[in-house]
Amino acid sequence: MDDAKSRLRRVVGDEGLARLDAARVAVVGLGGVGASCAEALVRGGIGSFVLADRDAVEPSNINRQAIAFVSTVGQRKVDVMAAMVADINPAARVTTLDAFLTEETLAGELDALPRPDYLVDAVDTLTAKAALARYAAERGIPFIGSMGMANRSDPTKLAFADLFATEGCPFCREMRKIARDRGISAVQVLYSKERPQKVAPAEGAHRRERTELGTYSYMPPIAGQMLASWVIRDLLR
C-alpha cells in the first residue's frame, strides 16, 4: 500500500529517503518564499527543521504565503508553520525561533539552536541576509539565499547564480555592496533577471511601510519551491 513517501521513494530510493530524513534544514523567514520552501522541504522528505521568523500572519499575507489564511491571521508564523509541518509529517523534528534577527544578535540566537545541515535565507532585510551568509560561511554550513521577488511577474526569469555574477537586479546590486563590506566573496542565491515593475508608493505612507512593493500570488511560492529543490538535490548529491 502506498504511504506519504511512496512517490518520493520511487525516485530517490530508501537510501535517499534516509538521507533526507536525517537532514536538518534551517529556514529563516517564513513569508511568501520561506513558508513555501519549508512546505516543499517537509513534503520532500526533510526530517528536521529550524524555523525562524518574528512576525504574525497579517491579512496582506493571504495573497502569497502558504501559511496565510483567514483562520491564521494574528497567529505567530513559526507556530502556524510548525503545525503545517506536523500535519504533513508528524514524525518531523521542529525547533522554532520567534525573534527578529539582526547582525548583532543573529549569531548568538542561531548558535543556541540545533546546527542545521543547510541554511535557507528567506528574510527581507539586506543586512540580515549578509549576516546569514557570513554566519553560514564561517561555520561551514551550506547556504542558499533568496533575492527580491517583489514587483516581478515572470517566474521563467528566476535563476540560481553566485551573487557576484547576477545581472540586472537592483536588489542584488545593493546586496553585493553590503556583502563586500562584510568580507563576503561568494554566496549562492536565487534571483530574478526580470526588471521590477515600477509602483508608486501610497500617498502619505511612511518609507518604512514600503507601499511601493507589490507581489503576484505565484512569484514567492515558486521561488520557495525552487529553493527547496536546490536544497534537496544538493543533500542527495
Side-chain angles (χ1 to χ4, degrees), residues 1-23:
M1 181 181 294
D2 283 353
D3 58 29
K5 294 183 179 180
S6 59
R7 295 298 181 97
L8 183 60
R9 185 179 292 108
R10 294 173 191 175
V11 290
V12 305
D14 288 331
E15 182 181 347
L17 278 181
R19 188 180 304 177
L20 294 172
D21 183 67

Side-chain angles (χ1 to χ4, degrees), residues 19-144:
R19 188 180 304 177
L20 294 172
D21 183 67
R24 177 182 291 111
V25 178
V27 181
V28 183
L30 297 174
V33 174
S36 286
C37 178
E39 180 189 3
L41 288 171
V42 66
R43 292 188 189 279
I46 299 300
S48 295
F49 293 88
V50 173
L51 305 173
D53 198 292
R54 59 106 181 235
D55 289 331
V57 178
E58 299 179 355
S60 63
N61 301 154
I62 291 174
N63 89 309
R64 67 197 182 281
Q65 298 187 11
I67 55 175
F69 301 89
V70 171
S71 61
T72 61
V73 168
Q75 297 181 36
R76 307 309 299 175
K77 288 185 177 181
V78 289
D79 295 336
V80 180
M81 192 74 246
M84 178 182 286
V85 170
D87 206 13
I88 295 168
N89 177 14
R93 288 80 65 188
V94 179
T95 302
T96 61
L97 175 63
D98 186 352
F100 179 63
L101 298 178
T102 67
E103 284 190 276
E104 295 73 27
T105 65
L106 183 146
E109 294 271 18
L110 294 182
D111 280 342
L113 303 175
R115 176 186 170 92
D117 300 299
Y118 229 103
L119 196 159
V120 178
D121 152 42
V123 300
D124 296 328
T125 309
L126 286 169
T127 53
K129 287 182 175 295
L132 284 168
R134 185 169 64 181
Y135 174 89
E138 290 174 348
R139 288 156 180 77
I141 300 171
F143 175 90
I144 185 70

Side-chain angles (χ1 to χ4, degrees), residues 142-236:
F143 175 90
I144 185 70
S146 171
M147 298 292 103
M149 299 298 143
N151 297 3
R152 273 101 169 172
S153 63
D154 187 354
T156 68
K157 296 294 195 298
L158 292 170
F160 290 103
D162 186 275
L163 174 65
F164 295 93
T166 57
E167 299 177 348
C169 174
F171 196 90
C172 291
R173 183 170 60 248
E174 293 302 313
M175 179 66 178
R176 282 195 296 271
K177 296 176 185 176
I178 296 171
R180 290 192 187 98
D181 289 343
R182 306 303 191 272
I184 300 168
S185 58
V187 56
Q188 197 70 33
V189 300
L190 174 68
Y191 82 108
S192 175
K193 298 179 181 180
E194 178 186 6
R195 285 284 183 178
Q197 176 183 343
K198 291 188 180 301
V199 176
E203 187 175 348
H206 295 291
R207 178 167 178 76
R208 60 181 173 79
E209 295 180 70
R210 304 308 303 270
T211 56
E212 79 281 8
L213 298 181
T215 316
Y216 287 89
S217 62
Y218 51 85
M219 283 297 291
I222 289 172
Q225 295 273 335
M226 290 180 68
L227 290 172
S229 81
W230 178 277
V231 172
I232 288 171
R233 289 181 291 119
D234 203 11
L235 288 170
L236 289 173

